[in-house]
PDB file of all heavy atoms in Angstrom:
ATOM      1  N   VAL U  23      -5.685  10.732  -7.688  1.00 96.00           N
ATOM      2  CA  VAL U  23      -7.056  10.245  -7.508  1.00 96.00           C
ATOM      3  C   VAL U  23      -7.504  10.443  -6.063  1.00 96.00           C
ATOM      4  O   VAL U  23      -8.625  10.892  -5.806  1.00 96.00           O
ATOM      5  CB  VAL U  23      -7.170   8.759  -7.931  1.00 96.00           C
ATOM      6  CG1 VAL U  23      -8.495   8.165  -7.493  1.00 96.00           C
ATOM      7  CG2 VAL U  23      -6.993   8.620  -9.430  1.00 96.00           C
ATOM      8  N   ALA U  24      -6.639  10.126  -5.119  1.00 96.00           N
ATOM      9  CA  ALA U  24      -6.977  10.296  -3.708  1.00 96.00           C
ATOM     10  C   ALA U  24      -7.296  11.756  -3.392  1.00 96.00           C
ATOM     11  O   ALA U  24      -8.253  12.041  -2.661  1.00 96.00           O
ATOM     12  CB  ALA U  24      -5.842   9.795  -2.833  1.00 96.00           C
ATOM     13  N   GLN U  25      -6.535  12.660  -3.956  1.00 96.00           N
ATOM     14  CA  GLN U  25      -6.797  14.088  -3.728  1.00 96.00           C
ATOM     15  C   GLN U  25      -8.159  14.485  -4.264  1.00 96.00           C
ATOM     16  O   GLN U  25      -8.874  15.267  -3.644  1.00 96.00           O
ATOM     17  CB  GLN U  25      -5.713  14.947  -4.393  1.00 96.00           C
ATOM     18  CG  GLN U  25      -4.391  14.901  -3.657  1.00 96.00           C
ATOM     19  CD  GLN U  25      -3.333  15.715  -4.372  1.00 96.00           C
ATOM     20  OE1 GLN U  25      -2.916  15.367  -5.472  1.00 96.00           O
ATOM     21  NE2 GLN U  25      -2.919  16.804  -3.749  1.00 96.00           N
ATOM     22  N   ARG U  26      -8.536  13.941  -5.414  1.00 96.00           N
ATOM     23  CA  ARG U  26      -9.841  14.255  -5.998  1.00 96.00           C
ATOM     24  C   ARG U  26     -10.995  13.673  -5.182  1.00 96.00           C
ATOM     25  O   ARG U  26     -12.063  14.240  -5.128  1.00 96.00           O
ATOM     26  CB  ARG U  26      -9.916  13.730  -7.432  1.00 96.00           C
ATOM     27  CG  ARG U  26      -9.080  14.517  -8.385  1.00 96.00           C
ATOM     28  CD  ARG U  26      -9.304  14.063  -9.818  1.00 96.00           C
ATOM     29  NE  ARG U  26      -8.183  14.475 -10.619  1.00 96.00           N
ATOM     30  CZ  ARG U  26      -7.510  13.697 -11.445  1.00 96.00           C
ATOM     31  NH1 ARG U  26      -7.879  12.432 -11.599  1.00 96.00           N
ATOM     32  NH2 ARG U  26      -6.502  14.152 -12.124  1.00 96.00           N
ATOM     33  N   LEU U  27     -10.751  12.525  -4.575  1.00 97.00           N
ATOM     34  CA  LEU U  27     -11.787  11.844  -3.808  1.00 97.00           C
ATOM     35  C   LEU U  27     -11.892  12.327  -2.367  1.00 97.00           C
ATOM     36  O   LEU U  27     -12.876  12.041  -1.679  1.00 97.00           O
ATOM     37  CB  LEU U  27     -11.522  10.338  -3.800  1.00 97.00           C
ATOM     38  CG  LEU U  27     -11.616   9.617  -5.133  1.00 97.00           C
ATOM     39  CD1 LEU U  27     -11.167   8.169  -4.985  1.00 97.00           C
ATOM     40  CD2 LEU U  27     -13.029   9.689  -5.689  1.00 97.00           C
ATOM     41  N   ALA U  28     -10.896  13.060  -1.915  1.00 96.00           N
ATOM     42  CA  ALA U  28     -10.829  13.478  -0.517  1.00 96.00           C
ATOM     43  C   ALA U  28     -11.756  14.658  -0.236  1.00 96.00           C
ATOM     44  O   ALA U  28     -11.813  15.621  -1.016  1.00 96.00           O
ATOM     45  CB  ALA U  28      -9.397  13.843  -0.153  1.00 96.00           C
ATOM     46  N   SER U  29     -12.454  14.563   0.879  1.00 95.00           N
ATOM     47  CA  SER U  29     -13.243  15.708   1.343  1.00 95.00           C
ATOM     48  C   SER U  29     -12.294  16.705   2.003  1.00 95.00           C
ATOM     49  O   SER U  29     -11.138  16.393   2.270  1.00 95.00           O
ATOM     50  CB  SER U  29     -14.317  15.238   2.319  1.00 95.00           C
ATOM     51  OG  SER U  29     -13.724  14.620   3.435  1.00 95.00           O
ATOM     52  N   ASP U  30     -12.787  17.898   2.277  1.00 94.00           N
ATOM     53  CA  ASP U  30     -11.950  18.889   2.951  1.00 94.00           C
ATOM     54  C   ASP U  30     -11.511  18.351   4.302  1.00 94.00           C
ATOM     55  O   ASP U  30     -12.313  17.826   5.065  1.00 94.00           O
ATOM     56  CB  ASP U  30     -12.732  20.193   3.165  1.00 94.00           C
ATOM     57  CG  ASP U  30     -12.955  20.947   1.861  1.00 94.00           C
ATOM     58  OD1 ASP U  30     -12.186  20.729   0.914  1.00 94.00           O
ATOM     59  OD2 ASP U  30     -13.916  21.751   1.799  1.00 94.00           O
ATOM     60  N   GLY U  31     -10.228  18.455   4.585  1.00 94.00           N
ATOM     61  CA  GLY U  31      -9.678  17.999   5.862  1.00 94.00           C
ATOM     62  C   GLY U  31      -9.505  16.494   5.948  1.00 94.00           C
ATOM     63  O   GLY U  31      -9.260  15.972   7.041  1.00 94.00           O
ATOM     64  N   ALA U  32      -9.603  15.801   4.833  1.00 96.00           N
ATOM     65  CA  ALA U  32      -9.439  14.346   4.848  1.00 96.00           C
ATOM     66  C   ALA U  32      -8.039  13.940   5.239  1.00 96.00           C
ATOM     67  O   ALA U  32      -7.068  14.670   5.012  1.00 96.00           O
ATOM     68  CB  ALA U  32      -9.780  13.762   3.477  1.00 96.00           C
ATOM     69  N   SER U  33      -7.929  12.759   5.796  1.00 97.00           N
ATOM     70  CA  SER U  33      -6.645  12.165   6.150  1.00 97.00           C
ATOM     71  C   SER U  33      -6.230  11.226   5.020  1.00 97.00           C
ATOM     72  O   SER U  33      -7.025  10.386   4.601  1.00 97.00           O
ATOM     73  CB  SER U  33      -6.783  11.394   7.460  1.00 97.00           C
ATOM     74  OG  SER U  33      -5.615  10.653   7.713  1.00 97.00           O
ATOM     75  N   ILE U  34      -5.008  11.375   4.531  1.00 97.00           N
ATOM     76  CA  ILE U  34      -4.478  10.481   3.508  1.00 97.00           C
ATOM     77  C   ILE U  34      -3.193   9.860   4.054  1.00 97.00           C
ATOM     78  O   ILE U  34      -2.291  10.568   4.491  1.00 97.00           O
ATOM     79  CB  ILE U  34      -4.201  11.219   2.174  1.00 97.00           C
ATOM     80  CG1 ILE U  34      -5.517  11.776   1.608  1.00 97.00           C
ATOM     81  CG2 ILE U  34      -3.532  10.277   1.176  1.00 97.00           C
ATOM     82  CD1 ILE U  34      -5.362  12.582   0.337  1.00 97.00           C
ATOM     83  N   THR U  35      -3.151   8.528   4.024  1.00 98.00           N
ATOM     84  CA  THR U  35      -2.003   7.804   4.554  1.00 98.00           C
ATOM     85  C   THR U  35      -1.373   6.950   3.463  1.00 98.00           C
ATOM     86  O   THR U  35      -2.071   6.191   2.794  1.00 98.00           O
ATOM     87  CB  THR U  35      -2.420   6.887   5.722  1.00 98.00           C
ATOM     88  OG1 THR U  35      -3.043   7.674   6.733  1.00 98.00           O
ATOM     89  CG2 THR U  35      -1.207   6.174   6.310  1.00 98.00           C
ATOM     90  N   PHE U  36      -0.066   7.088   3.298  1.00 97.00           N
ATOM     91  CA  PHE U  36       0.695   6.216   2.410  1.00 97.00           C
ATOM     92  C   PHE U  36       1.118   5.001   3.239  1.00 97.00           C
ATOM     93  O   PHE U  36       1.773   5.154   4.268  1.00 97.00           O
ATOM     94  CB  PHE U  36       1.926   6.945   1.855  1.00 97.00           C
ATOM     95  CG  PHE U  36       1.591   8.013   0.876  1.00 97.00           C
ATOM     96  CD1 PHE U  36       1.317   9.311   1.307  1.00 97.00           C
ATOM     97  CD2 PHE U  36       1.535   7.739  -0.483  1.00 97.00           C
ATOM     98  CE1 PHE U  36       0.996  10.312   0.406  1.00 97.00           C
ATOM     99  CE2 PHE U  36       1.214   8.740  -1.393  1.00 97.00           C
ATOM    100  CZ  PHE U  36       0.945  10.029  -0.948  1.00 97.00           C
ATOM    101  N   LEU U  37       0.739   3.821   2.786  1.00 97.00           N
ATOM    102  CA  LEU U  37       0.992   2.588   3.529  1.00 97.00           C
ATOM    103  C   LEU U  37       1.902   1.661   2.720  1.00 97.00           C
ATOM    104  O   LEU U  37       1.614   1.381   1.559  1.00 97.00           O
ATOM    105  CB  LEU U  37      -0.336   1.875   3.818  1.00 97.00           C
ATOM    106  CG  LEU U  37      -0.260   0.514   4.482  1.00 97.00           C
ATOM    107  CD1 LEU U  37       0.272   0.626   5.904  1.00 97.00           C
ATOM    108  CD2 LEU U  37      -1.628  -0.152   4.476  1.00 97.00           C
ATOM    109  N   HIS U  38       2.951   1.200   3.354  1.00 96.00           N
ATOM    110  CA  HIS U  38       3.823   0.208   2.710  1.00 96.00           C
ATOM    111  C   HIS U  38       3.841  -1.057   3.560  1.00 96.00           C
ATOM    112  O   HIS U  38       3.919  -0.994   4.783  1.00 96.00           O
ATOM    113  CB  HIS U  38       5.256   0.727   2.549  1.00 96.00           C
ATOM    114  CG  HIS U  38       6.149  -0.255   1.876  1.00 96.00           C
ATOM    115  ND1 HIS U  38       6.132  -0.466   0.508  1.00 96.00           N
ATOM    116  CD2 HIS U  38       7.065  -1.123   2.371  1.00 96.00           C
ATOM    117  CE1 HIS U  38       7.007  -1.410   0.203  1.00 96.00           C
ATOM    118  NE2 HIS U  38       7.578  -1.825   1.324  1.00 96.00           N
ATOM    119  N   VAL U  39       3.763  -2.197   2.887  1.00 96.00           N
ATOM    120  CA  VAL U  39       3.791  -3.480   3.573  1.00 96.00           C
ATOM    121  C   VAL U  39       5.133  -4.146   3.280  1.00 96.00           C
ATOM    122  O   VAL U  39       5.509  -4.333   2.125  1.00 96.00           O
ATOM    123  CB  VAL U  39       2.641  -4.405   3.115  1.00 96.00           C
ATOM    124  CG1 VAL U  39       2.726  -5.753   3.816  1.00 96.00           C
ATOM    125  CG2 VAL U  39       1.290  -3.747   3.346  1.00 96.00           C
ATOM    126  N   LEU U  40       5.837  -4.494   4.353  1.00 94.00           N
ATOM    127  CA  LEU U  40       7.072  -5.254   4.214  1.00 94.00           C
ATOM    128  C   LEU U  40       6.704  -6.733   4.336  1.00 94.00           C
ATOM    129  O   LEU U  40       6.217  -7.169   5.379  1.00 94.00           O
ATOM    130  CB  LEU U  40       8.071  -4.879   5.311  1.00 94.00           C
ATOM    131  CG  LEU U  40       8.706  -3.499   5.189  1.00 94.00           C
ATOM    132  CD1 LEU U  40       9.480  -3.159   6.442  1.00 94.00           C
ATOM    133  CD2 LEU U  40       9.607  -3.451   3.977  1.00 94.00           C
ATOM    134  N   GLU U  41       6.893  -7.458   3.272  1.00 90.00           N
ATOM    135  CA  GLU U  41       6.578  -8.889   3.275  1.00 90.00           C
ATOM    136  C   GLU U  41       7.507  -9.600   4.256  1.00 90.00           C
ATOM    137  O   GLU U  41       8.676  -9.252   4.396  1.00 90.00           O
ATOM    138  CB  GLU U  41       6.778  -9.478   1.877  1.00 90.00           C
ATOM    139  CG  GLU U  41       5.822  -8.918   0.849  1.00 90.00           C
ATOM    140  CD  GLU U  41       4.487  -9.644   0.788  1.00 90.00           C
ATOM    141  OE1 GLU U  41       4.343 -10.721   1.406  1.00 90.00           O
ATOM    142  OE2 GLU U  41       3.590  -9.114   0.126  1.00 90.00           O
ATOM    143  N   VAL U  42       6.979 -10.580   4.916  1.00 86.00           N
ATOM    144  CA  VAL U  42       7.749 -11.363   5.874  1.00 86.00           C
ATOM    145  C   VAL U  42       8.680 -12.293   5.098  1.00 86.00           C
ATOM    146  O   VAL U  42       8.283 -12.924   4.114  1.00 86.00           O
ATOM    147  CB  VAL U  42       6.804 -12.173   6.784  1.00 86.00           C
ATOM    148  CG1 VAL U  42       7.588 -13.063   7.722  1.00 86.00           C
ATOM    149  CG2 VAL U  42       5.902 -11.236   7.561  1.00 86.00           C
ATOM    150  N   ILE U  43       9.919 -12.382   5.548  1.00 87.00           N
ATOM    151  CA  ILE U  43      10.889 -13.284   4.920  1.00 87.00           C
ATOM    152  C   ILE U  43      10.509 -14.712   5.301  1.00 87.00           C
ATOM    153  O   ILE U  43      10.347 -15.022   6.488  1.00 87.00           O
ATOM    154  CB  ILE U  43      12.324 -12.961   5.373  1.00 87.00           C
ATOM    155  CG1 ILE U  43      12.692 -11.537   4.949  1.00 87.00           C
ATOM    156  CG2 ILE U  43      13.318 -13.970   4.806  1.00 87.00           C
ATOM    157  CD1 ILE U  43      14.005 -11.038   5.518  1.00 87.00           C
ATOM    158  N   PRO U  44      10.374 -15.591   4.309  1.00 87.00           N
ATOM    159  CA  PRO U  44      10.002 -16.978   4.622  1.00 87.00           C
ATOM    160  C   PRO U  44      11.004 -17.618   5.584  1.00 87.00           C
ATOM    161  O   PRO U  44      12.200 -17.337   5.543  1.00 87.00           O
ATOM    162  CB  PRO U  44      10.047 -17.682   3.262  1.00 87.00           C
ATOM    163  CG  PRO U  44       9.965 -16.588   2.252  1.00 87.00           C
ATOM    164  CD  PRO U  44      10.573 -15.379   2.887  1.00 87.00           C
ATOM    165  N   VAL U  45      10.498 -18.487   6.436  1.00 87.00           N
ATOM    166  CA  VAL U  45      11.318 -19.142   7.462  1.00 87.00           C
ATOM    167  C   VAL U  45      12.532 -19.833   6.847  1.00 87.00           C
ATOM    168  O   VAL U  45      13.632 -19.748   7.365  1.00 87.00           O
ATOM    169  CB  VAL U  45      10.461 -20.143   8.268  1.00 87.00           C
ATOM    170  CG1 VAL U  45      11.320 -20.920   9.235  1.00 87.00           C
ATOM    171  CG2 VAL U  45       9.360 -19.405   9.010  1.00 87.00           C
ATOM    172  N   TYR U  46      12.316 -20.489   5.713  1.00 88.00           N
ATOM    173  CA  TYR U  46      13.424 -21.223   5.100  1.00 88.00           C
ATOM    174  C   TYR U  46      14.539 -20.318   4.601  1.00 88.00           C
ATOM    175  O   TYR U  46      15.668 -20.766   4.406  1.00 88.00           O
ATOM    176  CB  TYR U  46      12.926 -22.114   3.949  1.00 88.00           C
ATOM    177  CG  TYR U  46      12.295 -21.358   2.812  1.00 88.00           C
ATOM    178  CD1 TYR U  46      13.053 -20.781   1.802  1.00 88.00           C
ATOM    179  CD2 TYR U  46      10.913 -21.226   2.733  1.00 88.00           C
ATOM    180  CE1 TYR U  46      12.481 -20.083   0.766  1.00 88.00           C
ATOM    181  CE2 TYR U  46      10.315 -20.550   1.689  1.00 88.00           C
ATOM    182  CZ  TYR U  46      11.104 -19.972   0.708  1.00 88.00           C
ATOM    183  OH  TYR U  46      10.516 -19.286  -0.329  1.00 88.00           O
ATOM    184  N   ALA U  47      14.265 -19.009   4.438  1.00 86.00           N
ATOM    185  CA  ALA U  47      15.290 -18.083   3.950  1.00 86.00           C
ATOM    186  C   ALA U  47      15.798 -17.140   5.039  1.00 86.00           C
ATOM    187  O   ALA U  47      16.847 -16.517   4.882  1.00 86.00           O
ATOM    188  CB  ALA U  47      14.733 -17.275   2.786  1.00 86.00           C
ATOM    189  N   ALA U  48      15.064 -17.037   6.143  1.00 85.00           N
ATOM    190  CA  ALA U  48      15.374 -16.041   7.178  1.00 85.00           C
ATOM    191  C   ALA U  48      16.793 -16.198   7.734  1.00 85.00           C
ATOM    192  O   ALA U  48      17.448 -15.194   8.044  1.00 85.00           O
ATOM    193  CB  ALA U  48      14.359 -16.121   8.303  1.00 85.00           C
ATOM    194  N   ASP U  49      17.266 -17.421   7.875  1.00 87.00           N
ATOM    195  CA  ASP U  49      18.614 -17.637   8.416  1.00 87.00           C
ATOM    196  C   ASP U  49      19.716 -17.126   7.500  1.00 87.00           C
ATOM    197  O   ASP U  49      20.836 -16.912   7.941  1.00 87.00           O
ATOM    198  CB  ASP U  49      18.846 -19.126   8.699  1.00 87.00           C
ATOM    199  CG  ASP U  49      18.035 -19.611   9.873  1.00 87.00           C
ATOM    200  OD1 ASP U  49      17.576 -18.770  10.673  1.00 87.00           O
ATOM    201  OD2 ASP U  49      17.857 -20.838  10.000  1.00 87.00           O
ATOM    202  N   TYR U  50      19.386 -16.913   6.231  1.00 90.00           N
ATOM    203  CA  TYR U  50      20.391 -16.495   5.261  1.00 90.00           C
ATOM    204  C   TYR U  50      20.371 -14.992   5.000  1.00 90.00           C
ATOM    205  O   TYR U  50      21.155 -14.488   4.205  1.00 90.00           O
ATOM    206  CB  TYR U  50      20.182 -17.245   3.942  1.00 90.00           C
ATOM    207  CG  TYR U  50      20.263 -18.734   4.129  1.00 90.00           C
ATOM    208  CD1 TYR U  50      19.121 -19.519   4.164  1.00 90.00           C
ATOM    209  CD2 TYR U  50      21.498 -19.350   4.308  1.00 90.00           C
ATOM    210  CE1 TYR U  50      19.205 -20.899   4.355  1.00 90.00           C
ATOM    211  CE2 TYR U  50      21.588 -20.722   4.500  1.00 90.00           C
ATOM    212  CZ  TYR U  50      20.432 -21.474   4.522  1.00 90.00           C
ATOM    213  OH  TYR U  50      20.521 -22.823   4.725  1.00 90.00           O
ATOM    214  N   VAL U  51      19.460 -14.296   5.665  1.00 89.00           N
ATOM    215  CA  VAL U  51      19.372 -12.840   5.479  1.00 89.00           C
ATOM    216  C   VAL U  51      19.856 -12.172   6.765  1.00 89.00           C
ATOM    217  O   VAL U  51      19.230 -12.302   7.812  1.00 89.00           O
ATOM    218  CB  VAL U  51      17.919 -12.407   5.178  1.00 89.00           C
ATOM    219  CG1 VAL U  51      17.847 -10.901   4.999  1.00 89.00           C
ATOM    220  CG2 VAL U  51      17.386 -13.132   3.952  1.00 89.00           C
ATOM    221  N   PRO U  52      20.965 -11.456   6.684  1.00 91.00           N
ATOM    222  CA  PRO U  52      21.508 -10.812   7.885  1.00 91.00           C
ATOM    223  C   PRO U  52      20.533  -9.789   8.461  1.00 91.00           C
ATOM    224  O   PRO U  52      19.864  -9.052   7.721  1.00 91.00           O
ATOM    225  CB  PRO U  52      22.780 -10.112   7.386  1.00 91.00           C
ATOM    226  CG  PRO U  52      23.091 -10.735   6.071  1.00 91.00           C
ATOM    227  CD  PRO U  52      21.807 -11.235   5.497  1.00 91.00           C
TER     228      PRO U  52
END
Side-chain angles (χ1 to χ4, degrees):
V23 168
Q25 287 178 293
R26 288 187 201 131
L27 295 173
S29 60
D30 288 337
S33 171
I34 298 177
T35 303
F36 289 88
L37 175 67
H38 181 77
V39 179
L40 289 170
E41 296 274 349
V42 176
I43 299 171
V45 174
Y46 62 83
D49 289 342
Y50 301 103
V51 180

